[in-house]
Amino acid sequence: MAGFRLIDTVKPFLPFLPEVELPYEKLQFDDKVLYTVFIGLIYLFAQLPLAGIEKDIVPTINDPIYFLRGAFAAEPRSLLEFGIFPIFSTGLIMQLLAGLKVIKVNFKLQKDRELFQSFTKLMIFVQYFIFANVFILAGYYGTGLTIFQIAVLNFQLVGAGVVATLLVEIIDKGFGFTSGPMVINTIAIATNTIADIIGVSQIKIDDEGHTEAQGALINLVQGFRAKHKTILGSIVSAFNRDYLPNLTTAVIVLIIGAVVCYFQNFRVELPIRSTRARASNTVYPVRLLNVASLSLSFSYSLLFYIHMTAFALLTLVGKNDPSNIVCKILGHYENVNNILAVPTFPLSMFAPPRSFFGGLVQAPLSFVVFPAFIIVTGVWFAYKWQGISGQSARDLAVDFKEQGLTLAGRREQNVAKELDKPISLASATGAAVLAAIAIAGELLGLKGKATSMVIGICGGFSLLELITLDYQQNGSGSSLSQVLGAPTNM
Amino acid sequence: MSSTPPGGQRTLQKRRQAQAAKDNKAKQTPTSTRSAGFGGSSNSILKIFTDEANGLRVDPLVVLFLAVGFIFSVVALHVISKVTGRIF
Amino acid sequence: MAGEKGNQNENILESPVKFFQEGNSFLSKCKKPNFKEYMQIVRAVGIGFVAVGVIGYAIKLIHIPIRYVIV
């Protein structure tokens, strides 16, 4: 009919794509809490170590995406090696492309919306499969794997991807609160932050069997009675150890959280008045962080794709051999601490430095290109997204008209135009501010923790707002409120 | 040929019509599920799955049980490789 | 409509200086939260974040014995 459309390609796969049923009726507040909590717990529990890889082998290549993991709830060498990255990025990018009319889809038609959704899901599964096999072939899980081992690894990695997608889908479809990817992301980020500060699990740090606590604060306390270090040495080490979270990064992360909280309530208030009733002047707030953390998530999605592509090229084509032509152009990976694969020159421009002073000396260009990339993509995304997400100035103008509101001192016909200026400016500026906060942290050498904190706090705030709203509307009969006492005051 | 003077009501009407047509055109294919009026992502929230598409229908509780089952199958894999003492 | 948007877009992308000025003036026009509001946000977000994190970490603690058993 209308020629070839990308979303139609999903049709042959439809019978095989699992699809969660919509709830028959709106769920009670308590049921939503239960579903959300259980899904979060299942997700965290699924961060199990992978079965089928040998324990003592030294992998040929280490973790190349260590600084991107925090933003997407990914745990290295676990079932959720890629976390919810394919879900988040595919959802974001597909919706952006559809909004910009790159992908033809008519959201007014039920059929089209369903196809678009199924297509997104298929893309997510395909990406889990591709990423898993890139990592397997690159030797990340060791070399000389048997066919059976590869099959088992595929089963685990892709299976976990499918499970994560379905968990997200359950929340999205109204069994849990608001948005699946953001809920899971926020839960995982909160958990990791807590683990970094007061995690008690002991991790082996050297061949002699010495262990140190994962949590920075616990480590400081333990340092006083450690046998392999002097007290002074262990205090210094608690603040600057490189292999596990240290107190300095913990403090910086907390400061970042506080700064993000401060920017949450930045707003410009536009005076509005009712066209029906006289003398009822109120204000319409335009929030600075209009698109919240989505702009940062978008920038990191792009970074992830860049690094995955580079990783595939460098390890599969270039064999990570500095003399190979591909590696001469793109750079190669160097082992650091036996857990990280740190990219060298050209590719390193798109990665944050591992430490502030070391980075200044070794990779000064990272301090220019990386921030520029994050800010430009973030601002561009925020500007586009506010226009297509369904709450743009034009949609608002329609809402205003229905409610009989107008901007004070403006002509009614111009409401859309007058609203467009502050909203798009707020979105773009907000994205730049968030990007700047995240970059400031990253350049200090937080290896992704700064970004994940910004995304976590922002996402948490957006979710909290909607959950509070939900609670006020439907939570009056909640038995949880009797247990917990008064609801959180916002 | 009756010539109407320029300006006046008719021009305004035309302008209004043109504006309405433009608005209609702009709204014809919405840019997202939310602007089409069916929920979905908003400016600060990303939602991916909002409609019930065709496919293998499953109940959410079944998914939760399957997820737990999947995790335990991986644990079982660990146990098997531990017991047999080698990697398959 | 489209052309207009394109122009604005170029403004944002091609003249960072102008964008910076506009953004800066926007920031200064913004109504900032006062101390009470700020503490309210920090408390609400902080309590939620810590509560979720502690529960989550409790679950992750189960991993420790499992790791001992299987590794």
Side-chain angles (χ1 to χ4, degrees):
Chain A
M1 201 171 72
F4 173 78
R5 292 192 316 168
L6 196 59
I7 54 168
D8 286 332
T9 52
V10 75
K11 273 179 182 163
F13 300 99
L14 278 182
F16 312 108
L17 285 179
E19 181 75 27
V20 175
E21 289 165 356
L22 279 173
Y24 294 109
E25 53 186 10
K26 227 170 167 254
L27 265 79
Q28 295 290 312
F29 186 81
D30 286 1
D31 293 339
K32 283 191 180 180
V33 173
L34 274 183
Y35 267 108
T36 313
V37 168
F38 265 102
I39 287 172
L41 296 189
I42 290 178
Y43 185 89
L44 289 178
F45 195 61
Q47 294 180 331
L48 276 174
L50 280 164
I53 42 177
E54 281 157 79
K55 288 137 213 159
D56 305 323
I57 57 139
V58 181
T60 44
I61 190 80
N62 282 311
D63 189 2
I65 48 168
Y66 60 94
F67 56 93
L68 298 165
R69 290 183 182 276
F72 298 108
E75 281 278 305
R77 284 171 205 285
S78 76
L79 289 180
L80 291 157
E81 184 76 65
F82 309 106
I84 54 167
F85 164 73
I87 306 171
F88 215 120
S89 66
T90 315
L92 212 52
I93 288 172
M94 290 289 288
Q95 286 180 19
L96 184 72
L97 291 181
L100 299 177
K101 316 268 170 176
V102 180
I103 296 175
K104 281 187 215 126
V105 46
N106 186 352
F107 283 110
K108 271 192 176 159
L109 301 175
Q110 170 95 23
K111 193 89 197 117
D112 266 29
R113 268 180 285 138
E114 289 179 7
L115 278 179
F116 180 71
Q117 188 183 306
S118 299
F119 184 74
T120 308
K121 195 185 285 173
L122 183 67
M123 283 294 110
I124 293 171
F125 292 165
V126 168
Q127 282 176 54
Y128 271 116
F129 180 75
I130 293 176
F131 291 162
N133 283 292
V134 165
F135 266 45
I136 291 172
L137 293 176
Y140 179 73
Y141 300 114
T143 44
L145 296 169
T146 60
I147 298 283
F148 187 65
Q149 276 180 309
I150 291 178
V152 168
L153 282 176
N154 259 309
F155 163 75
Q156 295 177 70
L157 289 169
V158 181
V162 172
V163 165
T165 313
L166 291 179
L167 293 182
V168 164
E169 185 171 348
I170 294 175
I171 297 185
D172 262 3
K173 284 201 167 152
F175 289 98
F177 289 112
T178 59
S179 145
M182 291 178 70
V183 166
I184 289 185
N185 220 353
T186 309
I187 291 178
I189 290 170
T191 304
N192 284 342
T193 311
I194 294 294
D196 284 351
I197 297 175
I198 55 166
V200 291
S201 63
Q202 301 291 316
I203 293 168
K204 214 173 92 182
I205 51 161
D206 53 23
D207 296 333
E208 289 152 52
H210 292 302
T211 58
E212 274 187 19
Q214 184 192 3
L217 207 57
I218 302 290
N219 177 46
L220 179 69
V221 177
Q222 276 184 350
F224 289 115
R225 50 187 186 79
K227 291 186 185 72
H228 64 288
K229 275 177 189 161
T230 62
I231 288 180
L232 194 66
S234 55
I235 291 175
V236 171
S237 144
F239 279 94
N240 69 359
R241 61 178 182 173
D242 189 30
Y243 37 92
L244 282 171
N246 61 38
L247 271 177
T248 320
T249 52
V251 169
I252 297 175
V253 163
L254 290 183
I255 291 174
I256 286 173
V259 172
V260 175
C261 278
Y262 180 65
F263 277 103
Q264 283 300 343
N265 227 359
F266 268 46
R267 64 206 180 269
V268 161
E269 292 180 334
L270 303 174
I272 53 172
R273 63 179 175 80
S274 171
T275 48
R276 287 167 202 157
R278 264 166 202 276
S280 61
N281 289 330
T282 37
V283 286
Y284 178 80
V286 174
R287 294 258 300 275
L288 172 68
L289 301 182
N290 199 358
V291 292
S293 55
L294 289 186
S295 61
L296 204 53
S297 294
F298 175 75
S299 306
Y300 263 67
S301 296
L302 292 185
L303 266 187
F304 201 110
Y305 282 125
I306 291 175
H307 280 275
M308 276 314 280
T309 318
F311 180 69
L313 277 176
L314 288 181
T315 53
L316 302 184
V317 183
K319 303 285 174 219
N320 201 24
D321 176 4
S323 59
N324 193 294
I325 181 78
V326 182
C327 294
K328 272 187 184 145
I329 298 170
L330 289 174
H332 61 280
Y333 290 102
E334 270 171 12
N335 266 348
V336 172
N337 282 352
N338 253 336
I339 35 172
L340 310 179
V342 179
T344 55
F345 172 56
L347 186 59
S348 67
M349 290 192 298
F350 290 99
R354 277 191 315 111
S355 65
F356 183 70
F357 295 109
L360 264 183
V361 180
Q362 288 160 4
L365 268 178
S366 297
F367 285 76
V368 181
V369 178
F370 175 72
F373 178 82
I374 300 281
I375 289 184
V376 168
T377 51
V379 168
W380 179 82
F381 171 83
Y383 182 76
K384 293 291 179 197
W385 186 260
Q386 59 85 20
I388 64 171
S389 66
Q391 281 171 329
S392 62
R394 206 187 317 125
D395 302 299
L396 269 180
V398 174
D399 281 356
F400 272 28
K401 211 171 193 177
E402 276 167 9
Q403 294 168 23
L405 297 170
T406 186
L407 287 175
R410 311 282 182 193
R411 284 172 59 199
E412 220 176 314
Q413 286 86 344
N414 286 347
V415 169
K417 223 177 233 173
E418 294 289 343
L419 277 172
D420 187 49
K421 181 96 181 135
I423 291 183
S424 51
L425 192 55
S427 310
T429 314
V433 167
L434 276 192
I437 299 174
I439 290 165
E442 289 302 326
L443 291 187
L444 289 174
L446 257 58
K447 299 190 202 106
K449 291 213 176 72
T451 313
S452 76
M453 191 64 181
V454 173
I455 290 177
I457 293 284
C458 260
F461 189 80
S462 312
L463 297 174
L464 200 59
E465 255 184 346
L466 289 169
I467 293 173
T468 320
L469 195 70
D470 198 339
Y471 179 83
Q472 281 159 357
Q473 282 167 356
N474 320 311
S476 48
S478 164
S479 52
L480 259 182
S481 66
Q482 283 146 23
V483 180
L484 294 176
T488 336
N489 275 320
M490 283 291 295
Chain B
M1 284 276 161
S2 67
S3 60
T4 40
Q9 217 172 6
R10 194 162 297 176
T11 324
L12 275 181
Q13 225 167 13
K14 264 187 193 159
R15 243 183 236 167
R16 204 168 296 143
Q17 273 171 359
Q19 183 64 36
K22 216 169 157 187
D23 281 352
N24 270 337
K25 209 174 176 184
K27 293 205 81 176
Q28 220 137 51
T29 51
T31 45
S32 64
T33 41
R34 182 171 290 269
S35 65
F38 295 98
S41 299
S42 70
N43 50 5
S44 61
I45 296 284
L46 172 75
K47 269 185 119 161
I48 304 170
F49 306 107
T50 43
D51 286 283
E52 192 173 67
N54 282 322
L56 211 63
R57 296 281 165 92
V58 276
D59 189 81
L61 278 177
V62 175
V63 173
L64 291 191
F65 282 117
L66 283 180
V68 174
F70 174 77
I71 293 170
F72 277 107
S73 74
V74 173
V75 174
L77 272 177
H78 274 294
V79 173
I80 292 171
S81 71
K82 172 99 175 167
V83 168
T84 53
R86 57 188 191 93
I87 313 297
F88 312 110
Chain C
M1 220 37 192
E4 197 182 295
K5 272 202 171 151
N7 280 338
Q8 279 182 11
N9 192 20
E10 275 169 21
N11 282 347
I12 281 183
L13 286 182
E14 285 182 5
S15 60
V17 179
K18 195 175 165 219
F19 170 61
F20 187 76
Q21 284 167 349
E22 278 184 4
N24 229 349
S25 72
F26 185 86
L27 276 182
S28 58
K29 261 194 299 183
C30 269
K31 205 173 164 206
K32 284 131 194 121
N34 56 32
F35 185 71
K36 208 178 135 227
E37 275 178 321
Y38 175 62
M39 284 323 281
Q40 233 172 14
I41 294 177
V42 169
R43 217 180 51 209
V45 175
I47 289 176
F49 209 72
V50 171
V52 169
V54 168
I55 297 173
Y57 188 65
I59 281 294
K60 281 196 122 179
L61 281 182
I62 301 177
H63 281 182
I64 298 176
I66 290 183
R67 269 172 206 261
Y68 266 111
V69 171
I70 58 186
V71 176

